[in-house]
Each structure stands twice: as structure tokens, then as C-alpha cells.
Amino acid sequence: MWVKLALKLFSRELRRGELNIILAAIALAVLTVFSLSSVTERIRLNIEQKSADFIAADRRLSSNHEFDPTLLEMAEQQGISTAQQMFFDSMLFANDELVLGSIKAVTEQYPLRGQMKLKDTLDAVPYELRAAPAQGEAWLSESLFYTLQLQVGDMVEIGAGHFKVSKVLVAEPDAPFFSLAGDKRVLINYQDIALTQAVQPGSRVFYRLLFSASEQQLTEYYQWLKPRLKENQNWQGIKDRQSPLGENLARSERFLLLAGLFGIMLAAVAMAVSAKRYCERQYDPVAMMKTLGGSRATIRNIFVLHLGLVTSVAVAVGLLCGYVLQDIGVSYLAKLMGAELPVSGVKPWLLAVSIGAVCALMFSLKPLLDLFDIPPLRVLRRNLGDTLALSRIHLALSISTIFALMWLFSGDIKTTGILFAATALVIAVLFLVARVIFKVSRQLGLSPGSSWSLAIATLQKRANANAVQLISFALAIKLMLFLVVLKNDLISDWQMSVPADAPNAFFININEPAVAAIGEEFKRANIKHEAFYPVFLGRVNALNGELFARRASLQEGEEVDSEAREGIGRELNLTWQADLPEGNEILEGQWFADSEELEVSVSKDAAERLELKLGDTLSFLVGTQTIDAKVSSIRKVNWDSLKPNFVMIFSPNLAGQFPVTYFTAAHLTEQDIPTISRLMQQHPTISMIDIKSRLEQAQSMIDQVSLAISFVLAIVLVSGALVLISQVQASLAERMQEMVILRTLGAKGRLIKLATLYEFLMLGGIAGMVAALVSDITLFVLQRQLFQLEGTFHPYVWLLGPAVGAMFVASIGYLLVARTMRQNTQNLLRSLA
């Protein structure tokens, strides 16, 4: 019986528009979450896929010895694409010239991600191709052509094998960001390894397996692989790369995460406001039902069914609109990026539906309970039940739900905590400001016929409701300011962290006699370059005699052994210096003194990771020799500058104990290419590493994140407007009553219009002022804690916040009540009845 009644009431309220507010709020929450999570997820996947190109796979497994064949067999059984690599050094001989080259043998499937950059002749235009050398062929880097005086089509001896030089190897997707191996690089087919006869028992050989598959397949494979890994085998993804590229990937994910959280917060605010307003509008119908004999259980069942129906309809509408919106947004972003964005999967769908359902339940629970407690006497005394309108329980429940939803979306308690604390600060400050302003305004003594007096009186009359409105307005404005600063300042700071004149090429394997000649050549060609640094390889092996733990995989979220001390897990480029390098700053200790004891200066990041303190003794493994050095200073290093920087720098008394080569860095332009080509021919032993493609990849990430935040900003502007609309509509009936009374007392239309405009201007200005203050403080914290940038304040936000807040709230608020103000008193009375 009650079901039939509930459906009839539901149909009537749909026609009357009673359910429009809550339906629109739930749909807004679902639309916002789906569109934002879908777009940000697709951009994140695109960034990860492009980043995976730089390791030529989704994952790779490295080893110093040959792999067990079962590793490949299991991967093939699970449908994972694989490729094999082997690295070794061998002598190359041609035209009576002999040189040591770095050989990489690959199978036909290489590369699994990314493309090779090749040239058909030395003077040809480079092109990209996903391919590997055929058997009997070799692809050589450009410097080897100069050293061996080769042309494409010539033959070259690699070890004992004869190979046809078929391509000029310009770049490989998985070439190291910086390596002492330089560009004396050779690519051959994996089946030709035996032909070279260079790999013999005891040879120094490095093996690598490449994998490409879905994240689920790779995760399942790693679970099988993990207990079978040897101590000297490393499982890696792009997040494991110790390079600016890996850091940029992590930073881009943080930006996208923030953007998604903003949408969650705004949708939740809209839902909380709308659910409360809907239940308030049902007070009179519920009182009437109870008067006519309706039981509490019947009323509860009716409105719970209404909530279920409206939630279902709203979720469907939100998903449909969100899909259309994200499709339009993704098409636009893909066009700007010049790339097809990958499909996001089911995560945005599940997230949107679950958050829509949770919002509907949690934000409606307390208002519904209040609704069921409305006394029947309300039909005679209309003020009964009004004390339920502002509930601390509802406020606490709403805040807890928003925190839970943010945490569910982000999975990051630190980021969620910072943004949630900022929101709580906004609420606390606004309640304090509202009470002070409303209290002080009573003592202003403005003239009775003034529009300002009427506006202030209206603010005083609805003090509690205005405090809630201020919070909603301020949150919407705060999110807008957040995104504006993210896009205009933080993205720019990230972009500018790599200066325009930063080095884009490294010159390595420079013998000491060639240092002066190369320096003179750079000076003559007016090429800006850094100092020449001596370099050798070494591994940090122990601290105060305690060995470090085996390296763990960051890609899989693996943690190191808690019982062992965490180390760096890779060989470092080491040097010694008499003077502190430019751009480095001593934080603790002092630079090297004239001491016979070997000392080492450590970067701040490494010192924190290794838990070092001044006076500790570090042990290094250099080749087969172990050396000990005392930590004498800790330095701050700007790695984003791309200038030659070192994790560890030894005191100059180490000079002469190990063979070294020198390296430097330079900023090259297109005009410098002839000079560099001539330099490579004159000094065939040196190698050049061109990192322009890496810098372009980092810039591509920045551009994609900037576009994503622009899209989110557009969504937030629309969502903020809808939140504002729902707040103003919540007070529309009360405004109509006031208007009837004022007109009855003889107030002119101009006075009422100006008073309404001034009221919204004050609400928007106050909300914008608080939002700007809290936003800038929160952004300062986020810069330092989340993005590892120097924290700065943004004074323009303090002016932008109140101005935008006042204009935004006043324009939308006034437009919403303008139609009501144009109605005559008779129509207003009829609408109220």
C-alpha cells in the first residue's frame, strides 16, 4: 500500500520539481567524479605509457648473470610480451682502426615500447622505427662512424664476427639518461652473440629481460617472480629510474591527484547542501501525513524509497552526462597533444557510482532522521521543527564523509590531510568572521532607508544560514583559486626548474690530454659549457662497517628489509674536487680542509636516505677495491638544473688512486652541430650524450598536466556555480516572504534590488577573502611537502579572491532572484501559498 502511495508522491514531486535539487546534486557529484577521474586517469596512463618508452618496456629485469629459462616460459604462459637484451664490451675493427665499443644484442621483439631513431646515411634526416637489426647486420652510433672512418654499407669486425653496417644509430628508447658508456654504442641481433665470440666464461656481461602487458598481468607475474629473484637482480619500472624523468612522472601524478580531489570536495559540498535543503522542504508534507494518521514507519519507507529512486536516476544521468563531458574533453586534449589517450578502464565508473551512492546515503541520513521527527502540530505552528535545521551531528557526519571520500579517491593520507585541514580552517575562520561581522554590523547605525542597511539587516536575520552559505561559497572560490595558482604558478615553477639555457648535451670519456683542446674549441665556437670533472664509478657499500640492504622495486610498491639498513642500490658517478661546485650549498660541516684523511661530501637527499651524520665512515666499492671516507659535509644540490652534479664528492687527496675520464656539459643549438661533428672527428675517443629528447618528454608531461588542470578548472567553475545556485534556491522562499512584507510596507523596487545585490557582494567578498588567505597558506604547504618546491606566497590571490568572490556570487545570486523580484505582490503570495 505504501509503495503505491510513495510512487504517486514521487511522480507528483518530480513534476513539481521538489526532487530536482537533490537529483541535480547527486548527478553533479557523479558527473564531477566520473569526468575528472576519467580524464585525469587517461592522462596519467598516457604519461606513464610515454614514460615507459624510455625503458623500452613496461617493466624490465636486470641481472649480472644469465636468466633461468623458466622466467621467460612463465611470462609467455601469462600472455606477457617479452624481449631479451645482452650488454658486453668488444673491440671493433675497420679501416685499420680499432676501438672499444659497448655492444647491445637484442631480440626481434625489441623495443616493446618506444621507437628507435635511425639514419640511413650520416647526412640523412633521422626517422623513427620500431625494429631491431637483422642477423648479420649492425647499427652503429655516429661517433663510431667517425672513429672507424665508416660509411653505411661497409663491413665492421666485432670480436671475431663480420657485420654489415646498415644503419646509423641516433637514439634508443632505453638509452641511459647519463652513462659513462657514452655513445660508442652498437646494436646487433641477439642470435649473433655467438658469432662475435666475445662472450666467454668469465666475461663481463650484463643481461636484461623486457616485459610489456597490463598492470594486472605484470603484478601477478611479479608475485610469482619475487621469491625467485637473486640478490643481484633488479625488477624496475619507470618510477624506479633515478632521473629527472622519473621525478617528473611522480610530480605530474601529484598534480592530477590534487585536481581530482578538488572535484570530490566540491561535489560533496553540493550534495550536503542540497540534501539538507530537500528534507527541509518536506517538513510541511510530513507534518500533514502524520496529522492524517501516517505512521513513522510508513513515512520512513516512503522517503527512503524516494531517496533510492532519485539516487538511481541521478547516478544514471550523472554517468551519461559525465561520459559525454569527458569524451568531449578527451577529444579536445588529444587533439592538442597530438596523441590518442588510452582507455581508463572501469575505475572511474565504479568510483563515480560508489561516491554517488555514499553521498546520497551519508549526506541524507541526518536530514532524513530530522524529517521523521517533525511533530504533527507543525500544521498549526509552522515554526515547530525549525530548530532541527542546523545540526552539529549532520555537520560532523558530512565532514567525516568528505574526508573518507577524499581518502578513498586519493589513497594518499598526507595529501588528503593537508587539503582537509585547509577546508576545516576555512570553516573555522568563516564562522568566526561571520559572527564578528554580523555582531559589529548591528552597531553601525546606518539610515533606515539605505540599501546597505537593508542588506546588513538581512545578513543579521539569516546569520546561521549565511554562515553555511559563506562556507559553501568560500570552498567553491578556494578550489577555483587553487586551480588558478596551480596552473599559472606551480606549473610554471615546475617548468622553470629546468632553465632555458640548461645543458642539453654531455661530453664524456674525455682523456686528460684532450681537456684543454676541447675547452679551447668550445671557447672558439662560443659554446657555453660547464667545468671538466674527473669521474669514476663506485658503489656505496657500507656505513660504519654495516652493509646495506638489497634494492627493492619502487614500481611494485615494495619495501626494503626493515631489519637491514637501506642503501642507494646502484653504482654512482664519483669525483673529487678541491672547490665547492657552483650551485651547491653547504648545509652542515665544512668543505675539505688540508687533511691527509680521505673525506667525502654527501648531498642532502643521500644523507637523509642513508641516515648519515657528520663524522660517519662510508665504505665504497670501486672495482674490486674498497675505500673508506669520513663524511665531512652535507650539501644542498639542485638536480633539476641538469648541470653536472654529484651525490658524493671526495677530497682531492684521492686523485691518482684510480683511473678516470673527464666529462662536461654544454648547451647546444642547431648552429653548433657542424662544430660538434668536427670535434667528434678530431677526438674520436670522446662521446656525446644528447638529452634533448628527455627534456622534451618532461615538457610534454608539463603540457599535459597543464591541459588537464584547465579542464578541471572549467568543471569546477560549473560545479561552483551549481553549488551557489542550490544555496540561493534554498533561501528563495524566505526571500519571497521578505519581499512581500517590504512591498506592503512601501519599499521601492530599487531599494530591494540594491539591497539584494549588496548582500551577495558582501557574502562573496567575505568568502573570497577567507578563501584567498587559506588557499595561499595551503599552497605554501603543498609546495614544500608534496612537490618539493621552494614555498612562495602569491599576493595577487589576496586581491583576486575577494574580487572574484564578490563578482561571482553577486552575478549568479542576483540573476537567480531577479525573476522573483520582477513578480508582483499577488503572484508572490500565490507562489508562497
Side-chain angles (χ1 to χ4, degrees):
M1 182 68 182
W2 66 267
V3 175
K4 184 177 180 180
L5 175 61
L7 292 175
K8 186 176 294 186
L9 289 173
F10 183 77
S11 176
R12 188 187 68 176
E13 289 186 358
L14 277 179
R15 290 194 301 269
R16 291 178 55 191
E18 293 292 325
L19 291 172
N20 287 349
I21 296 177
I22 194 167
L23 191 149
I26 298 175
L28 171 64
V30 173
L31 178 152
T32 303
V33 171
F34 180 81
S35 58
L36 291 183
S37 61
S38 180
V39 170
T40 55
E41 178 74 5
R42 294 179 74 170
I43 291 180
R44 184 188 66 80
L45 289 174
N46 185 58
I47 290 174
E48 283 196 357
Q49 286 186 9
K50 286 192 172 183
S51 300
D53 293 349
F54 281 74
I55 60 173
D58 294 318
R59 301 288 193 280
R60 68 186 185 189
L61 180 62
S62 304
S63 175
N64 290 327
H65 55 77
E66 196 168 359
F67 292 106
D68 187 335
T70 58
L71 301 186
L72 280 175
E73 292 172 4
M74 178 57 70
E76 292 173 359
Q77 290 177 15
Q78 296 186 7
I80 298 174
S81 300
T82 62
Q84 300 181 63
Q85 296 177 327
M86 180 189 288
F87 300 82
F88 59 93
D89 294 335
S90 180
M91 300 304 297
L92 281 74
F93 181 77
N95 299 320
D96 296 326
E97 296 289 343
L98 192 67
V99 66
L100 179 65
S102 177
I103 316 299
K104 179 164 73 172
V106 298
T107 55
E108 288 79 0
Q109 297 79 16
Y110 173 85
L112 297 179
R113 295 283 189 186
Q115 294 184 320
M116 308 293 296
K117 184 176 286 188
L118 306 167
K119 291 195 298 186
D120 291 329
T121 66
L122 284 172
D123 299 326
V125 177
Y127 61 91
E128 292 186 340
L129 180 69
R130 178 171 291 180
Q135 286 185 243
E137 294 184 359
W139 298 349
L140 277 59
S141 60
E142 190 167 347
S143 64
L144 284 172
F145 281 84
Y146 299 132
T147 304
L148 299 174
Q149 301 176 19
L150 289 170
Q151 295 293 327
V152 173
D154 291 346
M155 299 298 293
V156 64
E157 293 182 38
I158 303 177
H162 292 74
F163 293 83
K164 178 182 178 181
V165 180
S166 57
K167 301 285 183 184
V168 180
L169 180 60
V170 179
E172 309 149 78
D174 58 340
F177 192 82
F178 177 77
S179 169
L180 292 180
D183 61 351
K184 297 293 189 291
R185 303 176 68 82
V186 181
L187 204 67
I188 64 172
N189 192 283
Y190 202 84
Q191 301 300 322
D192 289 333
I193 295 174
L195 185 62
T196 67
Q197 299 181 22
V199 179
Q200 302 292 332
S203 297
R204 187 175 181 181
V205 182
F206 185 72
Y207 298 85
R208 184 175 287 163
L209 294 181
L210 305 182
F211 303 89
S212 179
S214 67
E215 285 296 314
Q216 181 178 355
Q217 288 176 299
L218 292 169
T219 300
E220 291 174 356
Y221 179 75
Y222 181 67
Q223 294 304 314
W224 173 86
L225 173 68
K226 183 178 177 181
R228 295 167 175 81
L229 283 179
K230 309 298 183 187
E231 287 298 320
N232 59 353
Q233 293 179 338
N234 292 322
W235 175 264
Q236 291 179 310
I238 185 62
K239 295 179 184 178
D240 292 291
R241 294 204 72 184
Q242 302 295 321
S243 70
L245 181 64
E247 175 57 31
N248 281 338
L249 175 61
R251 190 174 288 178
S252 67
E253 288 182 346
R254 296 185 198 116
F255 274 108
L256 295 178
L257 175 64
L258 272 183
L261 282 175
F262 292 155
I264 294 285
M265 293 175 64
L266 198 57
V269 170
M271 182 60 213
V273 171
S274 301
K276 180 175 177 294
R277 172 57 185 160
Y278 169 73
C279 291
E280 288 177 354
R281 296 178 68 176
Q282 302 303 315
Y283 285 176
D284 291 341
V286 168
M288 185 66 69
M289 289 181 194
K290 288 186 175 181
T291 303
L292 296 176
S295 66
R296 178 185 175 91
T298 300
I299 295 172
R300 181 190 63 215
N301 292 338
I302 288 173
F303 283 98
V304 168
L305 180 60
H306 283 188
L307 179 62
L309 290 173
V310 78
T311 300
S312 301
V313 174
V315 168
V317 171
L319 288 176
L320 178 62
C321 296
Y323 180 81
V324 173
L325 183 61
Q326 69 87 30
D327 189 59
I328 295 173
V330 165
S331 299
Y332 175 72
L333 294 175
K335 184 178 179 180
L336 290 177
M337 295 175 189
E340 189 72 23
L341 296 183
V343 178
S344 57
V346 299
K347 180 181 177 181
W349 296 88
L350 296 176
L351 193 63
V353 171
S354 60
I355 286 181
V358 169
C359 282
L361 174 64
M362 298 305 294
F363 292 130
S364 302
L365 184 60
K366 184 58 176 66
L368 280 176
L369 293 176
D370 289 343
L371 180 62
F372 304 151
D373 289 335
I374 293 298
L377 279 177
R378 184 178 170 89
V379 296
L380 299 177
R381 297 174 58 187
R382 298 295 299 278
N383 63 332
L384 288 178
D386 287 348
T387 55
L388 300 173
L390 185 62
S391 170
R392 293 180 180 178
I393 297 177
H394 181 219
L395 184 62
L397 188 63
S398 299
I399 292 174
S400 301
T401 302
I402 291 174
F403 180 83
L405 292 176
M406 291 170 63
W407 193 2
L408 172 67
F409 180 82
S410 68
D412 185 344
I413 188 64
K414 182 178 181 180
T415 305
T416 300
I418 292 174
L419 292 182
F420 185 77
T423 303
L425 182 60
V426 168
I427 294 173
V429 172
L430 278 174
F431 265 120
L432 178 62
V433 170
R435 291 180 69 89
V436 170
I437 290 178
F438 298 152
K439 182 177 180 180
V440 172
S441 62
R442 293 190 176 95
Q443 306 170 5
L444 293 179
L446 298 176
S447 59
S450 168
S451 298
W452 282 107
S453 297
L454 183 56
I456 292 174
T458 305
L459 288 176
Q460 294 171 351
K461 182 177 181 294
R462 287 194 294 269
N464 287 336
N466 284 333
V468 176
Q469 284 187 337
L470 276 175
I471 292 173
S472 301
F473 298 160
L475 289 177
I477 296 168
K478 186 191 80 169
L479 298 185
M480 294 176 197
L481 293 176
F482 251 104
L483 293 174
V484 168
V485 176
L486 275 178
K487 188 176 187 307
N488 294 337
D489 284 41
L490 294 193
I491 291 287
S492 298
D493 290 344
W494 179 18
Q495 195 168 13
M496 291 174 61
S497 63
V498 179
D501 60 348
N504 55 17
F506 290 99
F507 294 85
I508 63 177
N509 290 340
I510 304 174
N511 295 326
E512 187 169 3
V515 170
I518 294 172
E520 286 296 323
E521 187 70 28
F522 281 160
K523 183 177 180 181
R524 188 162 41 246
N526 198 27
I527 295 176
K528 181 180 178 181
H529 70 96
E530 305 297 324
F532 289 86
Y533 294 88
V535 179
F536 62 98
L537 283 176
R539 180 183 294 271
V540 184
N541 204 38
L543 171 62
N544 296 325
E546 181 183 354
L547 293 175
F548 290 114
R550 183 183 72 84
R551 184 179 180 183
S553 173
L554 300 177
Q555 184 74 45
E556 307 303 334
E558 190 179 47
E559 296 182 358
V560 296
D561 182 4
S562 58
E563 300 297 324
R565 183 181 289 272
E566 181 182 0
I568 293 182
R570 62 186 175 92
E571 286 193 312
L572 300 174
N573 293 316
L574 304 174
T575 189
W576 62 77
Q577 289 291 304
D579 300 318
L580 181 67
E582 182 182 355
N584 285 223
E585 177 186 349
I586 297 293
L587 300 178
E588 297 180 45
Q590 60 182 5
W591 194 244
F592 306 125
D594 294 331
S595 172
E596 294 183 359
E597 185 179 11
L598 184 62
E599 298 177 344
V600 63
S601 176
V602 185
S603 69
K604 176 185 176 184
D605 297 335
E608 292 176 350
R609 179 173 179 176
L610 299 177
E611 299 180 357
L612 299 178
K613 58 182 184 295
L614 297 179
D616 282 343
T617 299
L618 282 175
S619 298
F620 296 84
L621 188 62
V622 182
T624 59
Q625 185 177 348
T626 300
I627 59 173
D628 296 330
K630 184 182 74 173
V631 177
S632 61
S633 64
I634 296 175
R635 295 169 290 115
K636 179 180 179 182
V637 181
N638 180 16
W639 298 105
D640 289 335
S641 68
L642 292 182
K643 292 186 176 183
N645 281 309
F646 296 88
V647 176
M648 310 279 182
I649 300 178
F650 288 94
S651 53
N653 55 353
L654 185 66
Q657 296 188 27
F658 302 104
V660 298
T661 58
Y662 287 78
F663 96 98
T664 187
H667 180 79
L668 304 181
T669 63
E670 294 294 329
Q671 291 75 22
D672 297 325
I673 292 178
T675 301
I676 298 302
S677 297
R678 185 172 63 254
L679 184 67
M680 300 292 288
Q681 294 180 42
Q682 293 173 352
H683 303 277
T685 60
I686 72 171
S687 299
M688 184 186 78
I689 301 175
D690 186 352
I691 62 170
K692 287 188 291 185
S693 59
R694 267 58 175 179
L695 296 179
E696 290 170 359
Q697 174 73 358
Q699 183 59 48
S700 174
M701 288 184 188
I702 297 172
D703 294 340
Q704 290 184 43
V705 173
S706 180
L707 286 171
I709 290 180
S710 298
F711 177 79
V712 175
L713 180 58
I715 294 290
V716 167
L717 284 172
V718 175
S719 302
L722 292 176
V723 170
L724 179 56
I725 289 171
S726 64
Q727 281 283 22
V728 175
Q729 284 183 336
S731 63
L732 203 56
E734 188 176 355
R735 291 180 184 279
M736 293 170 67
Q737 291 177 348
E738 294 173 355
M739 205 172 300
V740 170
I741 295 172
L742 289 171
R743 287 181 177 178
T744 303
L745 296 176
K748 295 182 179 181
R750 175 181 173 81
L751 175 68
I752 299 174
K753 290 180 181 180
L754 289 176
T756 303
L757 181 62
Y758 295 157
E759 178 188 353
F760 284 122
L761 281 172
M762 285 188 286
L763 285 173
I766 296 170
M769 177 183 65
V770 176
L773 177 63
V774 176
S775 292
D776 213 19
I777 294 175
T778 309
L779 283 165
F780 180 85
V781 175
L782 287 174
Q783 282 175 288
R784 298 181 67 89
Q785 297 296 321
L786 200 60
F787 298 108
Q788 287 77 50
L789 297 172
E790 290 294 332
T792 56
F793 289 105
H794 309 85
Y796 74 89
V797 172
W798 306 342
L799 299 176
L800 185 64
V804 170
M807 295 303 297
F808 183 68
V809 174
S811 58
I812 295 180
Y814 185 79
L815 288 175
L816 286 173
V817 299
R819 180 181 176 185
T820 300
M821 289 187 291
R822 287 196 295 268
Q823 297 183 34
N824 57 40
T825 305
Q826 184 178 359
N827 288 336
L828 289 175
L829 288 171
R830 187 178 294 112
S831 299
L832 288 171

